[in-house]
Amino acid sequence: MSNTTSYDYVIAGGGTAGCVLAGRLTEDPDTRVLLIEAGRNDLHPFIHVPAGFAKLTTGPYQWGFSSAPQRACGDRVILLPQGKVLGGGGSINAQVFTRGIPADYDSWERDYGAKGWSFAEIQKYFLISENNNRLSAPYHGTTGPMGISDIADPHPLSEAFVKAGQEYGLPYNADFNGETQYGAGFYQTTTKDGRRCSTAAGYIRPARKRPNLTVLTSHLVTRILLDGKRAVGVETLHKGTTQRFTATAEVLLAAGAFVSPKLLQLSGIGDPADLRPHGVEVRHALAGVGKNLQDHCDLDIVYELNRYWSMDRLEKARPATALAGLQYLAFRSGPLASTVVEAGAFTRSSAAVTDPDLQFHFLPAAGVEAGIAAVRPGYGATLNSYLTRPLSRGTVRLGSADPTVQPIIDPNFLADDHDVEVGAEGVKQSREIMAQPSMARHVKAEHLAGQSTLRTKDDYIKFVKAYGRTSYHPVGTCAMGTGDQAVVDPDLRVHGIEGLRVVDASVMPTVVSSNTQAPTVMIAEKAVDLIRGRQRNA
Ligand SMILES: Cc1cc2nc3c(=O)[nH]c(=O)nc-3n(C[C@H](O)[C@H](O)[C@H](O)COP(=O)(O)OP(=O)(O)OC[C@H]3O[C@@H](n4cnc5c(N)ncnc54)[C@H](O)[C@@H]3O)c2cc1C
């Protein structure tokens, strides 16, 4: 055991939320902050060149998590990549910039008791985080640390997809974060001047020289230190050595939706029935820890193209890669400046639905993400869809009292029949959009991962259960609210424990109706005001 070191705030987890917290809290020179990240520094070029996304869902910058066998999906074990690097998910993600719909946040307040989190009250936190290169008030900010940009040169296939969406009957939508999500269009991404803008880039890089900020990478937080019912620090493991760090003000848990509940459980905070089998002493019974896990269940269709035309060329044709590299180095433009996930759509699964409940991502490439087949030989494109407001709920439980062991993650994908039905409708709509003239002319064949035809509703349901996978959006495992399953209160303080807040995607009571990075940034921005006891005007 080595020495103890003391800070005002100790942040466990240097991902999307942790970097926002550290960057903002150290704006006050009198506040000493320690940010602890289990992964490495974010130095690798694949992290910063947007097209590097295609290399990041496998390899050393993700945890290698996988699910428990999924009962509703034929007991399949599903890969669950999550960022393990400074910047967390924001350093390896597809950079799609969306933030759900106002009704998501209004529901947090109305249905879960998350007072102060209605959209009218949190919108200002989206705005202060954002530095948008095209859009401004009332829906966007232009002076924040997060660079948000249009894709510099959308691929012609992405343009074809957006046209196909219109031929299918969707309006063109120039801003999925504006008046409405509904329609087809191009995503904006978390990019600044052609480089990925994670929260490590946007919030930590400018703060690095501050003497009041200490960043430790490759340090695994193993538990929260408690003095009775007060959190007083954390214990870490680094190269086989255990260290302790004291927080005189607060410990801020920001290890993401899979590990924040695990760290609470390892520290004796959780459902006693989950702790006792592993010999973990119950320090504070809190039934909701690790419950309420939600994720969007992604459904991909890969298309073989009739011309050598997609971004697969970057993988397969060296001259194309070299040219793209030169263009990127000289102008920060071209295919490498694209995150690959360029275009998309939001639709409704039926006329009875008011707000869109299906989201689509179009990739002018195939085999980009872990577990998705490439087209060989030939060139491909991918369209995926998911239902944005799933009803299935899963769990995160300890796999062992050993902090180096992966937790048992059970997203319980498609356990609710509603999710199966809407997922099937999403696949159907994917195929209908891709059959429109602007897209159909480029498609040689549909690769349905072994399923030769989808005709009946039963075919679609079988497909959904056979191929549903994570969209990397786990939330909800330390849910905010006031009910008996709530883990944190609306100020993000762990119920019944002093000096401990959870600030990351795990506090969302329900998953928002879109990708989850921007909402997590918003949560951390609001947390800073809560920590400082500060009111902010709109
Ligand atoms: C492959 C992928 C693609 C995605 N695509 C998009 C997208 O296009 N758009 C979008 O909006 N969202 C996307 N997301 C989701 C988004 O990135 C996450 O919602 C967001 O990063 C969650 O932030 P967080 O702070 O809760 O967790 P994270 O960003 O995961 O941060 C948690 C951090 O804690 C660290 N940590 C964990 N355990 C410990 C420990 N014991 N000790 C120390 N450190 C620890 C982790 O290494 C990590 O850095 C994607 C995510 C992934 C993984």
Side-chain angles (χ1 to χ4, degrees), residues 15-17 37-38 63 85 88-89 93-96 221 259 504-505 515-517:
T16 294
E37 166 56 39
W63 282 86
V85 56
N93 69 18
Q95 300 181 233
V96 172
V221 176
V259 188
D504 60 21
N515 315 76
T516 44
Q517 182 182 15

Side-chain angles (χ1 to χ4, degrees), residues 5-70:
T5 320
S6 173
Y7 298 84
D8 297 314
Y9 296 94
V10 172
I11 303 167
T16 294
C19 290
V20 175
L21 290 170
R24 287 295 193 199
L25 288 171
T26 54
E27 286 173 356
D28 173 359
D30 295 329
T31 301
R32 292 164 308 140
V33 173
L34 173 64
L35 178 67
I36 308 174
E37 166 56 39
R40 306 177 202 181
N41 223 324
D42 63 337
L43 300 178
H44 199 285
F46 286 161
I47 293 172
H48 300 289
V49 177
F53 167 62
K55 304 282 182 197
L56 294 170
T57 55
T58 56
Y61 298 106
Q62 57 87 40
W63 282 86
F65 292 136
S66 54
S67 75
Q70 294 299 281

Side-chain angles (χ1 to χ4, degrees), residues 127-169:
L127 301 189
I128 61 166
S129 70
E130 185 181 343
N131 178 359
N132 200 299
N133 82 340
R134 172 170 57 99
L135 298 162
S136 189
Y139 298 113
H140 295 275
T142 55
T143 56
M146 288 297 285
I148 308 297
S149 307
D150 291 327
I151 289 164
D153 303 299
H155 191 281
L157 280 172
S158 301
E159 289 169 345
F161 172 80
V162 175
K163 286 180 199 156
Q166 292 168 74
E167 290 153 15
Y168 174 69

Side-chain angles (χ1 to χ4, degrees), residues 12-18 36-39 53 56-57 63 65 81-98 219-222 254-257 259-260 262-263 341 361 369 403 471-475 503-506 508 514-520:
T16 294
I36 308 174
E37 166 56 39
F53 167 62
L56 294 170
T57 55
W63 282 86
F65 292 136
Q82 288 291 301
K84 184 183 184 186
V85 56
L86 196 67
S91 284
I92 69 161
N93 69 18
Q95 300 181 233
V96 172
F97 176 68
T98 56
H219 279 65
L220 182 79
V221 176
T222 52
V259 188
S260 283
K262 173 186 161 182
L263 284 174
V341 186
H361 299 88
E369 296 160 81
S471 65
Y472 323 109
H473 298 161
V475 308
V503 184
D504 60 21
S506 71
M508 297 184 198
S514 74
N515 315 76
T516 44
Q517 182 182 15
T520 307

Side-chain angles (χ1 to χ4, degrees), residues 282-294:
V282 180
R283 305 289 299 271
H284 180 66
L286 198 52
V289 175
K291 312 284 165 55
N292 191 46
L293 173 61
Q294 297 162 54

